[in-house]
Structures are given as structure tokens and as C-alpha cells.
Amino acid sequence: MYLAKIYVTYKPSILDPQGEVIKSALHRLNYKNVESVMQGKYFEIKLDAENLITAKQEVEAFSDELLINVNMETFTYELSEIAVVGD
Amino acid sequence: MYLAKIYVTYKPSILDPQGEVIKSALHRLNYKNVESVMQGKYFEIKLDAENLITAKQEVEAFSDELLINVNMETFTYELSEIAVVGD
């Protein structure tokens, strides 16, 4: 079993309105030290692939196909093998 | 300058409807290997704290106060010092 941790963020050229709103809210709450806020999405996906290479291919394929908006977003991921107790 | 990477996820006892929907969609797209999907939020926040201890305190305080719903969500974070070119 593999665990993929996938981080989806806006591409650098894309405006992140949610991040700006959160930054303003933090400043109002007196966290004046905050310089920038970027909000993205985070996925933890478990998959039962044959090996690391297949797992990698699947993660890259379905992230592009379903998880991100390829025009505006980009993603990075970490993939690790996990033990399933009782298998 | 410090960079905090904050990962917000549902607490284990809380149902994650978005994750379930994404899992079903991946199965329909023929990614049958996918066992579970958890969707959370991801923030990258830059802050200008005096030192690592202050940065840590601020990140924990504002995450609890603004970024998460303490009843349903929990968070983990990584904090690192970053160099600002031109400073």
C-alpha cells in the first residue's frame, strides 16, 4: 500500500484571493508579522499499486486528470510505502 | 523570515464527504487502486518573527484562532527559516 501526500497550489502568476483575505484577517487579529498567505489544497490518498513506479504514474495521472485545474493550479507530491497491519 | 507550511485535516472521527466524492470519481475514471481519499487544506505563510520560538507560537496561535475549525479539524505544520534575497 502506498500513501500519496499531494499539495495543490495556484501557479505563481495566478491571483490567490482566499490567501489575500486570510492575510487581511490575520492583520486585523494583530498578527502583523504575516507577510504572505497562500492557500492551497492537500490530499492524502492511499492506493494499492504493484510497485512504486506504478504508484507514481497513477498519482501523476489522476492528479492532472481530476485533482487540479491545469490552467490555474500545479501540484507536488510525496509518495511512501506504508505497511497495512493484518495483511 | 520564516515559512510555515500548515496542513489542516479533519479529525479522525469526522466524516470527510469531499474525500468520499473524489474517491468515487477516481473509481469511475478507472483508478480502482485508490483505497481512500482525505481532502484537507494547505497553507504557506511567510512571517517575519524575531526567532523560531516566536514564529512557532504565532503559527500555533493563529492556526487555532483563524485557520481551523477546532471542533472538526486539526493541523500539523513545518516551520523553516528562509533567506530573503536583497535584505
Side-chain angles (χ1 to χ4, degrees), chain A residues 1 7 22 26 29 31 33 35-36 38-48 58 61-62 65, chain B residues 7 22 26 29 31 33 35-36 38-48 58 61-62 65:
Chain A
M1 185 80 83
Y7 312 98
I22 293 167
L26 288 171
L29 290 170
Y31 296 104
N33 287 343
E35 294 278 332
S36 71
M38 190 284 306
Q39 173 163 10
K41 280 178 275 184
Y42 170 56
F43 297 92
E44 282 185 4
I45 296 185
K46 287 183 190 152
L47 71 165
D48 193 18
E58 284 207 25
F62 69 61
E65 199 172 339
Chain B
Y7 312 98
I22 293 168
L26 288 171
L29 290 170
Y31 296 104
N33 287 343
E35 294 278 333
S36 71
M38 190 282 305
Q39 173 164 9
K41 279 177 276 185
Y42 171 56
F43 297 92
E44 283 185 3
I45 296 185
K46 287 184 191 154
L47 71 166
D48 192 18
E58 283 208 24
F62 68 61
E65 198 171 339

Side-chain angles (χ1 to χ4, degrees), chain A residues 9-20:
Chain A
T9 54
Y10 284 114
K11 289 183 178 173
S13 57
I14 303 289
L15 200 73
D16 174 7
Q18 281 179 302
E20 288 299 310

Side-chain angles (χ1 to χ4, degrees), chain A residues 66-83:
Chain A
L66 191 80
L67 299 185
I68 74 164
N69 171 341
V70 288
N71 294 309
M72 294 170 64
E73 294 170 332
T74 183
F75 70 99
T76 56
Y77 67 95
E78 292 161 24
L79 193 60
S80 52
E81 190 162 4
I82 53 172

